[in-house]
Amino acid sequence: MNIRQLSVHEKPPMELLLVADPSPKIVESYLKSGRFFVAEKNDQLIGVYVLLPTRPQTIEIVNIAVDEPYQGKGVGKYLLQHAITAAQTMGYTTIEIGTGNSSIGQLALYQKCGFRIVGVDMNFFLKHYEEDMIENGIRCTDMIRLSQDI
Ligand code: COA
């Protein structure tokens, strides 16, 4: 597997980005200033993550997705570790990520990768998403914010 940053001339993989974030409006909001990284295996796209500078010294992973057949095999963890190293190399001192209160697996994965819960953006998904989202039998209503110093 090879991970590389997309050049400005390459199209971001919209289909995969929308797997992680079903809101086209939110995905579009970081198309211009996000830095897109893709994981490829035998010239096939298997994963993506997006880094977005949000404040001085702070960058956020605003999207991370692994193509379904490749999920659960360590690719997501590898992408997160790659994102942390890329952010460090770019000189950032804090990296952030957010996920839904119902995304149990993602919350486990992010904490395994060193992120700590720092807050809750109450009602985020009720405000920004039209459709109800249920995961693990839990209604997705709030965004759990996680952060780590790097
Ligand atoms: N409890 C404890 N640990 C859990 C868990 C749970 N319920 N669910 C998952 N995990 C852990 C696994 O055990 C594994 O950790 P380990 O390596 O220590 O065993 C880790 O989480 C999963 O790692 P990995 O195989 O690298 O994940 P992945 O390649 O499937 O990538 C996603 C993770 C989330 C990027 C991927 O599943 C995906 O694209 N999902 C759809 C899009 C999405 O939800 N994106 C994130 C939006 S916030």
Side-chain angles (χ1 to χ4, degrees):
M1 179 177 60
N2 176 50
I3 300 180
R4 66 181 181 91
Q5 185 169 2
L6 285 187
S7 80
V8 286
H9 308 294
E10 291 177 289
K11 272 199 177 151
M14 284 307 285
E15 212 174 299
L16 198 50
L17 293 167
L18 288 165
V19 171
D21 191 332
S23 165
K25 216 172 166 182
I26 293 185
V27 172
E28 270 163 31
S29 74
Y30 49 73
L31 283 183
K32 252 194 188 154
S33 33
R35 291 147 201 216
F36 292 77
F37 292 79
V38 291
E40 291 162 329
K41 199 175 178 181
N42 305 326
D43 285 335
Q44 202 189 327
L45 180 90
I46 63 165
V48 64
Y49 75 82
V50 186
L51 288 175
L52 182 74
T54 50
R55 291 190 296 281
Q57 315 266 301
T58 301
I59 200 157
E60 180 172 343
I61 301 171
V62 287
N63 194 306
I64 180 163
V66 173
D67 194 20
E68 211 181 334
Y70 297 93
Q71 287 177 12
K73 302 178 196 300
V75 177
K77 206 175 206 180
Y78 193 77
L79 285 176
L80 282 167
Q81 283 156 355
H82 191 278
I84 292 164
T85 305
Q88 273 168 339
T89 308
M90 288 185 244
Y92 290 92
T93 57
T94 304
I95 186 162
E96 297 182 336
I97 194 162
T99 194
N101 58 289
S102 52
S103 299
I104 304 296
Q106 288 81 344
L107 282 167
L109 171 61
Y110 302 159
Q111 290 179 86
K112 284 179 180 180
C113 290
F115 287 89
R116 306 259 314 260
I117 294 173
V118 291
V120 181
D121 193 343
M122 293 296 291
N123 297 316
F124 179 87
F125 292 96
L126 300 181
K127 282 184 213 155
H128 298 287
Y129 292 75
E130 276 165 22
E131 281 179 25
D132 251 16
M133 291 186 283
I134 311 271
E135 263 180 311
N136 303 303
I138 305 166
R139 188 167 180 223
C140 184
T141 50
D142 313 311
M143 184 189 277
I144 310 298
R145 303 286 316 162
L146 300 101
S147 173
Q148 78 171 286
D149 294 335
I150 52 177

mmCIF file of all heavy atoms in Angstrom, residues 62-91:
data_model
loop_
_atom_site.group_PDB
_atom_site.id
_atom_site.type_symbol
_atom_site.label_atom_id
_atom_site.label_comp_id
_atom_site.label_asym_id
_atom_site.label_seq_id
_atom_site.Cartn_x
_atom_site.Cartn_y
_atom_site.Cartn_z
ATOM 1 N N VAL A 62 -10.569 16.021 8.646
ATOM 2 C CA VAL A 62 -11.995 16.284 8.438
ATOM 3 C C VAL A 62 -12.705 15.133 7.729
ATOM 4 O O VAL A 62 -13.945 15.111 7.654
ATOM 5 C CB VAL A 62 -12.243 17.619 7.686
ATOM 6 C CG1 VAL A 62 -11.975 18.805 8.591
ATOM 7 C CG2 VAL A 62 -11.425 17.703 6.419
ATOM 8 N N ASN A 63 -11.914 14.190 7.206
ATOM 9 C CA ASN A 63 -12.532 13.022 6.563
ATOM 10 C C ASN A 63 -11.517 11.888 6.564
ATOM 11 O O ASN A 63 -10.330 12.124 6.339
ATOM 12 C CB ASN A 63 -12.929 13.362 5.117
ATOM 13 C CG ASN A 63 -13.867 12.337 4.500
ATOM 14 O OD1 ASN A 63 -13.569 11.144 4.484
ATOM 15 N ND2 ASN A 63 -14.996 12.808 3.991
ATOM 16 N N ILE A 64 -11.981 10.693 6.852
ATOM 17 C CA ILE A 64 -11.140 9.498 6.700
ATOM 18 C C ILE A 64 -12.058 8.349 6.308
ATOM 19 O O ILE A 64 -13.114 8.160 6.918
ATOM 20 C CB ILE A 64 -10.306 9.193 7.973
ATOM 21 C CG1 ILE A 64 -9.457 7.924 7.752
ATOM 22 C CG2 ILE A 64 -11.149 9.076 9.226
ATOM 23 C CD1 ILE A 64 -8.319 7.762 8.759
ATOM 24 N N ALA A 65 -11.672 7.640 5.264
ATOM 25 C CA ALA A 65 -12.511 6.529 4.808
ATOM 26 C C ALA A 65 -11.658 5.457 4.154
ATOM 27 O O ALA A 65 -10.675 5.748 3.480
ATOM 28 C CB ALA A 65 -13.555 7.027 3.807
ATOM 29 N N VAL A 66 -12.063 4.213 4.379
ATOM 30 C CA VAL A 66 -11.414 3.059 3.764
ATOM 31 C C VAL A 66 -12.490 2.339 2.950
ATOM 32 O O VAL A 66 -13.618 2.159 3.430
ATOM 33 C CB VAL A 66 -10.817 2.133 4.864
ATOM 34 C CG1 VAL A 66 -10.290 0.841 4.270
ATOM 35 C CG2 VAL A 66 -9.721 2.871 5.642
ATOM 36 N N ASP A 67 -12.153 1.943 1.738
ATOM 37 C CA ASP A 67 -13.102 1.229 0.883
ATOM 38 C C ASP A 67 -13.540 -0.055 1.604
ATOM 39 O O ASP A 67 -12.719 -0.748 2.215
ATOM 40 C CB ASP A 67 -12.414 0.902 -0.449
ATOM 41 C CG ASP A 67 -13.413 0.469 -1.501
ATOM 42 O OD1 ASP A 67 -14.606 0.761 -1.347
ATOM 43 O OD2 ASP A 67 -12.979 -0.186 -2.470
ATOM 44 N N GLU A 68 -14.842 -0.347 1.530
ATOM 45 C CA GLU A 68 -15.425 -1.393 2.378
ATOM 46 C C GLU A 68 -14.687 -2.741 2.396
ATOM 47 O O GLU A 68 -14.427 -3.279 3.474
ATOM 48 C CB GLU A 68 -16.900 -1.588 2.049
ATOM 49 C CG GLU A 68 -17.651 -2.012 3.287
ATOM 50 C CD GLU A 68 -19.120 -2.254 3.026
ATOM 51 O OE1 GLU A 68 -19.665 -1.658 2.087
ATOM 52 O OE2 GLU A 68 -19.682 -3.050 3.793
ATOM 53 N N PRO A 69 -14.303 -3.293 1.248
ATOM 54 C CA PRO A 69 -13.624 -4.602 1.296
ATOM 55 C C PRO A 69 -12.309 -4.566 2.079
ATOM 56 O O PRO A 69 -11.821 -5.611 2.504
ATOM 57 C CB PRO A 69 -13.349 -4.919 -0.179
ATOM 58 C CG PRO A 69 -14.199 -4.006 -0.971
ATOM 59 C CD PRO A 69 -14.493 -2.815 -0.123
ATOM 60 N N TYR A 70 -11.740 -3.390 2.261
ATOM 61 C CA TYR A 70 -10.444 -3.268 2.944
ATOM 62 C C TYR A 70 -10.582 -2.837 4.399
ATOM 63 O O TYR A 70 -9.594 -2.688 5.106
ATOM 64 C CB TYR A 70 -9.539 -2.283 2.182
ATOM 65 C CG TYR A 70 -9.204 -2.769 0.794
ATOM 66 C CD1 TYR A 70 -9.982 -2.399 -0.303
ATOM 67 C CD2 TYR A 70 -8.129 -3.641 0.578
ATOM 68 C CE1 TYR A 70 -9.692 -2.862 -1.580
ATOM 69 C CE2 TYR A 70 -7.827 -4.109 -0.692
ATOM 70 C CZ TYR A 70 -8.617 -3.722 -1.768
ATOM 71 O OH TYR A 70 -8.324 -4.190 -3.021
ATOM 72 N N GLN A 71 -11.822 -2.616 4.856
ATOM 73 C CA GLN A 71 -12.023 -2.172 6.247
ATOM 74 C C GLN A 71 -11.691 -3.293 7.234
ATOM 75 O O GLN A 71 -11.824 -4.478 6.909
ATOM 76 C CB GLN A 71 -13.476 -1.723 6.459
ATOM 77 C CG GLN A 71 -13.783 -0.383 5.796
ATOM 78 C CD GLN A 71 -15.234 0.037 5.949
ATOM 79 O OE1 GLN A 71 -15.987 -0.532 6.729
ATOM 80 N NE2 GLN A 71 -15.626 1.049 5.193
ATOM 81 N N GLY A 72 -11.288 -2.897 8.437
ATOM 82 C CA GLY A 72 -11.025 -3.872 9.500
ATOM 83 C C GLY A 72 -9.721 -4.631 9.333
ATOM 84 O O GLY A 72 -9.495 -5.657 9.970
ATOM 85 N N LYS A 73 -8.842 -4.127 8.456
ATOM 86 C CA LYS A 73 -7.571 -4.804 8.226
ATOM 87 C C LYS A 73 -6.372 -3.935 8.598
ATOM 88 O O LYS A 73 -5.245 -4.193 8.187
ATOM 89 C CB LYS A 73 -7.456 -5.199 6.745
ATOM 90 C CG LYS A 73 -8.570 -6.097 6.225
ATOM 91 C CD LYS A 73 -8.346 -6.367 4.726
ATOM 92 C CE LYS A 73 -9.555 -6.911 4.012
ATOM 93 N NZ LYS A 73 -10.072 -8.161 4.489
ATOM 94 N N GLY A 74 -6.621 -2.859 9.331
ATOM 95 C CA GLY A 74 -5.507 -2.014 9.768
ATOM 96 C C GLY A 74 -5.218 -0.815 8.883
ATOM 97 O O GLY A 74 -4.343 -0.006 9.190
ATOM 98 N N VAL A 75 -5.959 -0.663 7.779
ATOM 99 C CA VAL A 75 -5.678 0.450 6.856
ATOM 100 C C VAL A 75 -6.020 1.797 7.517
ATOM 101 O O VAL A 75 -5.253 2.767 7.437
ATOM 102 C CB VAL A 75 -6.456 0.297 5.518
ATOM 103 C CG1 VAL A 75 -6.212 1.485 4.607
ATOM 104 C CG2 VAL A 75 -6.070 -0.997 4.822
ATOM 105 N N GLY A 76 -7.159 1.845 8.210
ATOM 106 C CA GLY A 76 -7.582 3.093 8.866
ATOM 107 C C GLY A 76 -6.563 3.545 9.907
ATOM 108 O O GLY A 76 -6.229 4.734 9.982
ATOM 109 N N LYS A 77 -6.077 2.591 10.682
ATOM 110 C CA LYS A 77 -5.079 2.912 11.709
ATOM 111 C C LYS A 77 -3.796 3.451 11.051
ATOM 112 O O LYS A 77 -3.217 4.427 11.499
ATOM 113 C CB LYS A 77 -4.763 1.643 12.504
ATOM 114 C CG LYS A 77 -4.280 1.895 13.906
ATOM 115 C CD LYS A 77 -4.115 0.569 14.619
ATOM 116 C CE LYS A 77 -4.248 0.719 16.107
ATOM 117 N NZ LYS A 77 -4.098 -0.545 16.807
ATOM 118 N N TYR A 78 -3.407 2.820 9.955
ATOM 119 C CA TYR A 78 -2.212 3.238 9.228
ATOM 120 C C TYR A 78 -2.406 4.658 8.675
ATOM 121 O O TYR A 78 -1.507 5.489 8.738
ATOM 122 C CB TYR A 78 -1.943 2.234 8.095
ATOM 123 C CG TYR A 78 -0.582 2.380 7.484
ATOM 124 C CD1 TYR A 78 0.549 1.891 8.129
ATOM 125 C CD2 TYR A 78 -0.416 3.028 6.260
ATOM 126 C CE1 TYR A 78 1.803 2.051 7.572
ATOM 127 C CE2 TYR A 78 0.839 3.196 5.696
ATOM 128 C CZ TYR A 78 1.942 2.697 6.352
ATOM 129 O OH TYR A 78 3.187 2.865 5.800
ATOM 130 N N LEU A 79 -3.600 4.939 8.152
ATOM 131 C CA LEU A 79 -3.893 6.282 7.618
ATOM 132 C C LEU A 79 -3.819 7.331 8.725
ATOM 133 O O LEU A 79 -3.289 8.422 8.529
ATOM 134 C CB LEU A 79 -5.284 6.316 6.972
ATOM 135 C CG LEU A 79 -5.450 5.640 5.608
ATOM 136 C CD1 LEU A 79 -6.910 5.692 5.177
ATOM 137 C CD2 LEU A 79 -4.578 6.300 4.558
ATOM 138 N N LEU A 80 -4.364 6.990 9.905
ATOM 139 C CA LEU A 80 -4.340 7.948 11.029
ATOM 140 C C LEU A 80 -2.900 8.233 11.456
ATOM 141 O O LEU A 80 -2.539 9.383 11.705
ATOM 142 C CB LEU A 80 -5.126 7.390 12.211
ATOM 143 C CG LEU A 80 -6.647 7.501 12.097
ATOM 144 C CD1 LEU A 80 -7.325 6.644 13.139
ATOM 145 C CD2 LEU A 80 -7.107 8.953 12.242
ATOM 146 N N GLN A 81 -2.083 7.167 11.529
ATOM 147 C CA GLN A 81 -0.676 7.366 11.905
ATOM 148 C C GLN A 81 0.041 8.211 10.852
ATOM 149 O O GLN A 81 0.840 9.085 11.176
ATOM 150 C CB GLN A 81 0.021 6.012 12.092
ATOM 151 C CG GLN A 81 -0.355 5.373 13.435
ATOM 152 C CD GLN A 81 -0.204 3.853 13.455
ATOM 153 O OE1 GLN A 81 0.102 3.224 12.450
ATOM 154 N NE2 GLN A 81 -0.437 3.258 14.617
ATOM 155 N N HIS A 82 -0.303 7.979 9.591
ATOM 156 C CA HIS A 82 0.297 8.752 8.498
ATOM 157 C C HIS A 82 -0.116 10.221 8.618
ATOM 158 O O HIS A 82 0.695 11.132 8.434
ATOM 159 C CB HIS A 82 -0.159 8.169 7.160
ATOM 160 C CG HIS A 82 0.584 8.706 5.978
ATOM 161 N ND1 HIS A 82 0.254 9.907 5.386
ATOM 162 C CD2 HIS A 82 1.653 8.234 5.301
ATOM 163 C CE1 HIS A 82 1.085 10.133 4.376
ATOM 164 N NE2 HIS A 82 1.947 9.130 4.301
ATOM 165 N N ALA A 83 -1.387 10.454 8.961
ATOM 166 C CA ALA A 83 -1.908 11.824 9.086
ATOM 167 C C ALA A 83 -1.178 12.576 10.212
ATOM 168 O O ALA A 83 -0.844 13.756 10.073
ATOM 169 C CB ALA A 83 -3.410 11.787 9.366
ATOM 170 N N ILE A 84 -0.948 11.862 11.320
ATOM 171 C CA ILE A 84 -0.258 12.479 12.459
ATOM 172 C C ILE A 84 1.167 12.875 12.050
ATOM 173 O O ILE A 84 1.609 14.002 12.300
ATOM 174 C CB ILE A 84 -0.272 11.519 13.671
ATOM 175 C CG1 ILE A 84 -1.709 11.357 14.200
ATOM 176 C CG2 ILE A 84 0.668 12.001 14.779
ATOM 177 C CD1 ILE A 84 -1.926 10.173 15.134
ATOM 178 N N THR A 85 1.868 11.966 11.377
ATOM 179 C CA THR A 85 3.238 12.264 10.938
ATOM 180 C C THR A 85 3.249 13.401 9.906
ATOM 181 O O THR A 85 4.097 14.298 9.969
ATOM 182 C CB THR A 85 3.875 10.988 10.327
ATOM 183 O OG1 THR A 85 3.777 9.943 11.292
ATOM 184 C CG2 THR A 85 5.328 11.201 9.969
ATOM 185 N N ALA A 86 2.275 13.391 8.989
ATOM 186 C CA ALA A 86 2.213 14.451 7.966
ATOM 187 C C ALA A 86 1.982 15.811 8.626
ATOM 188 O O ALA A 86 2.613 16.806 8.257
ATOM 189 C CB ALA A 86 1.098 14.151 6.969
ATOM 190 N N ALA A 87 1.104 15.842 9.627
ATOM 191 C CA ALA A 87 0.808 17.102 10.324
ATOM 192 C C ALA A 87 2.045 17.607 11.071
ATOM 193 O O ALA A 87 2.353 18.805 11.050
ATOM 194 C CB ALA A 87 -0.362 16.900 11.288
ATOM 195 N N GLN A 88 2.762 16.671 11.706
ATOM 196 C CA GLN A 88 4.004 17.030 12.421
ATOM 197 C C GLN A 88 5.015 17.613 11.441
ATOM 198 O O GLN A 88 5.615 18.657 11.692
ATOM 199 C CB GLN A 88 4.629 15.782 13.055
ATOM 200 C CG GLN A 88 4.103 15.447 14.427
ATOM 201 C CD GLN A 88 4.550 14.052 14.874
ATOM 202 O OE1 GLN A 88 4.899 13.199 14.065
ATOM 203 N NE2 GLN A 88 4.531 13.831 16.172
ATOM 204 N N THR A 89 5.174 16.951 10.302
ATOM 205 C CA THR A 89 6.144 17.383 9.285
ATOM 206 C C THR A 89 5.793 18.781 8.769
ATOM 207 O O THR A 89 6.666 19.579 8.473
ATOM 208 C CB THR A 89 6.156 16.366 8.110
ATOM 209 O OG1 THR A 89 6.343 15.070 8.665
ATOM 210 C CG2 THR A 89 7.245 16.667 7.111
ATOM 211 N N MET A 90 4.499 19.084 8.712
ATOM 212 C CA MET A 90 4.066 20.410 8.242
ATOM 213 C C MET A 90 4.199 21.471 9.340
ATOM 214 O O MET A 90 3.900 22.629 9.113
ATOM 215 C CB MET A 90 2.608 20.342 7.771
ATOM 216 C CG MET A 90 2.404 19.606 6.464
ATOM 217 S SD MET A 90 0.665 19.748 5.972
ATOM 218 C CE MET A 90 0.127 18.079 6.020
ATOM 219 N N GLY A 91 4.581 21.058 10.549
ATOM 220 C CA GLY A 91 4.825 22.023 11.624
ATOM 221 C C GLY A 91 3.647 22.273 12.554
ATOM 222 O O GLY A 91 3.705 23.176 13.398
#
